[in-house]
Amino acid sequence: MDLLKKNLLKEVSGLESLPKGAYNIRIDGKKYARQDSANIEIRTKNDKDGIDIIIKSSAQNESVHIPVILTENGLKDMVYNDFFIEDNAVVTIVAGCGIHNCDSTSEHNGIHTFYIGKNAKVKYIEKHYGEGDNMGKRILNPVTNVFIKENGQLEINTTQIKGVDETERITYAKLEDNATLIINEKVLTNNNQNAKTIFKVDLDGKNSSVKVTSRSVAENQSKQTFKSEINGNNLCFGHVECDAIIKDNARVQSTPEITANHIDANLVHEAAIGKIAGEQIIKLQTLGLSEQEAEEAIIAGFLK
Amino acid sequence: MIELKNITLIKNDKKILNNINLQIDDNLTTIITGPNGSGKSTLMKLIMGIEQPTSGEIIFNGQNITNYSISERANLGISFAMQQPVKFKGITVKDLLKLSLRENASNEKICDALSSVGLCPKNYLDREVGSSLSGGELKRVEIASVILRKSNLVIFDEPEAGIDIWSFNRLINLFNDLNKRLGCSVVIVSHQEKIINIADKILVLNAGQVEEYGDKEVVLPLLNKTNVTQKKCKRR
Ligand SMILES: Nc1ncnc2c1ncn2[C@@H]1O[C@H](COP(=O)(O)OP(=O)(O)O)[C@@H](O)[C@H]1O
Ligand SMILES: [Mg+2]
C-alpha cells in the first residue's frame, strides 16, 4: 500500500497497520485484504458486489474494521454490505470511506443493512473523508437500513468534515420491543458542498427508543438539508436534536416530522440554526484569542 | 494602573454611565458596589472592551486603550469573569481552561484552579461548559478560567451570585489575598458584606455615576450608615 492510501486509511479508520481481529479493506472497488476472527466471518456476496459480515453470539466486545478507499480517478463504486449480528453479540464496527482524486468525479455508494439480534449491542463508527484538488468531485451516498430485534441496541456515529462535494445519506430503521437506536451525526461543509441527510425511523416496538443528535457547520456557499421522520407506533420514545451553525452565505434547512400513531408515543424534535453566538466569541476573546481563533475553537468543540 | 477619563455611555437615549472619572491603583483590591442597574457591569465591560464608551478615554498603564479590541486588552493582561457565564456546546471545562492557559497549559495548573474554586477536577474536567452545569458550577468554572490567566488587572462581576454558603467561604479565602498571589489589581463587583470587607478601596456607583470612592475605612462606614445601596422607592 502506498503512502497516499496509508494516509487515507488512517484518516477514515485510525488504522496505521492491519488491525488485530476481523477486517475487510476495499481499495478502488476491489478487495485488498481480509481476515476473519473466531467469532466474526466475512463472506463475499455471490449475487452483487459486497460482503456479508456475520457476527456470532460468541463475539463479546470485539471489533471489525471495514474501510473503503478510492484513489482511482473517475471511479464509481457501488457496494452492498450486510451485517448479521446474532443474539447477545457485543461488537464495534469501524467503517469509513476516504477518497483522493484529481481531475474527475469519484463516487462511492454504500448500501449497508444491519440485522441486529435480540440483546445484541452494536456500535457503528463511520467517517467520511475527501482530499485532492478541486477539479474532480467527490460524491458519497450512504444508505443504511437497520432492523433491531427485542432489546437490541445500535449506536451510529458518523462524521464528515469537509472534502466531500455531494452527499446524500439515507437511514431507515425499524425497532422492535425495547430496542434502542442512537445516532450521532457530525457534518461540516464548505465551499459549494452539498450535504443531505434523511432519517426515517419506525418505532414499532413497545418501549423502543431513538435519539438522533445532529451537529453541523455550514460555511461559505455550502448547503445542508436535514430531514427526520419519526413514527411512534407504540409506547415509545423519540428525540431528535438538530443543531447547526451557519457562516458566510451557507444555507441550512431542517425539517422535523414526528408522527404519533399511538397514545403512548413520546416524540420530541428540537432544531436550532444560527450563527455562532456573539457572547461565545466574546468570552474566548477575553481569554486572549483573536476573533478567528475563537470561532475555530467554538467549531472544533461543537463538532468534537 | 487603569484610568477612566470622562467616560459616558449612552444607549437608546439613556445615559447608562455619566461622566465617570476614576483611577484604579496597582496591586489593590477594589470593590465596586451599588444598586442593581447602577451600571457596574457596563463599566466593567467597558474596561474589557465589550462595551464602547460614547465619549471618554481609558488609559491602561499609560497606554490609551479606548480603541483596543477585547483580545488586545486581554493580551495586555486584563481579565474578566462575567456576571452571567457563557455556555458552550461541546467545549468541556478542560477545553476552556486550556484555552485560558494557552501555551502554558498543564493538567496540574488546570486541576489546581478547579480545586481552588471548590470543584473536584475528576468530576468536572470532561463536563460540557453548558446547560448541564448548575448556575453555581458555571460561575465557578468562569472564575477558574480567569484566575489561571497571567493578569495585571482582573475583574470579577458578582462572583458570589448563585454560589452556596459553603463554597462562598472558600471564595472569600480565594479573593482575600488574590491580588498578592497573582501580583495584580483585583476588582470585584459585589453586594456581599464579607467580600466588601476584603477591600482596600470601595467604589459606590449609583445611576451611572460615582457616588463614593475611597479607602475602605472611609467608605465602609458611609455604606452602613446611609445605606446608599438601598435608596427606597417612594410608596404611591
Ligand atoms: N443593551 C442595553 N440596552 C439598553 N439598556 C441597557 C443595556 N444593557 C444594560 N442596560 C441598562 O443599563 C443599566 C445598567 O446595567 P448594568 O450595568 O447591568 O447594571 P448593574 O450591573 O449595576 O446591575 C440598567 O438600567 C440596564 O437596564
Ligand atoms: Mg451587573
Side-chain angles (χ1 to χ4, degrees), chain A residues 65-79:
Chain A
H65 288 79
I66 51 159
V68 172
I69 280 165
L70 265 65
T71 58
E72 235 173 63
N73 277 322
L75 193 70
K76 189 169 171 180
D77 194 20
M78 175 91 174
V79 63

Side-chain angles (χ1 to χ4, degrees), chain B residues 35-42 45 83-84 157-158 189 191:
Chain B
N36 290 328
S38 57
K40 303 178 298 295
S41 293
T42 308
K45 286 181 188 167
Q83 183 172 5
Q84 258 129 20
D157 195 351
E158 299 200 25
V189 174
H191 302 289

Side-chain angles (χ1 to χ4, degrees), chain A residues 277-293:
Chain A
E279 55 169 27
Q280 294 181 345
I281 294 176
I282 289 174
K283 170 62 193 171
L284 298 189
Q285 284 179 306
T286 67
L287 299 179
L289 279 74
S290 68
E291 189 175 343
Q292 170 133 16
E293 288 169 333

Side-chain angles (χ1 to χ4, degrees), chain B residues 216-234:
Chain B
K216 176 172 78 177
E217 291 69 30
V218 181
V219 181
L220 198 56
L222 297 174
L223 266 184
N224 293 335
K225 223 184 289 166
T226 60
N227 256 341
V228 275
T229 60
Q230 297 196 344
K231 287 196 171 162
K232 280 186 186 128
C233 239
K234 279 209 179 110

Side-chain angles (χ1 to χ4, degrees), chain B residues 31 65 72 80 89 106 114 125 162 191 206:
Chain B
I31 305 296
I65 61 163
E72 285 168 319
F80 180 46
K89 279 193 169 156
S106 79
L114 283 175
L125 281 172
H191 302 289
N206 204 350

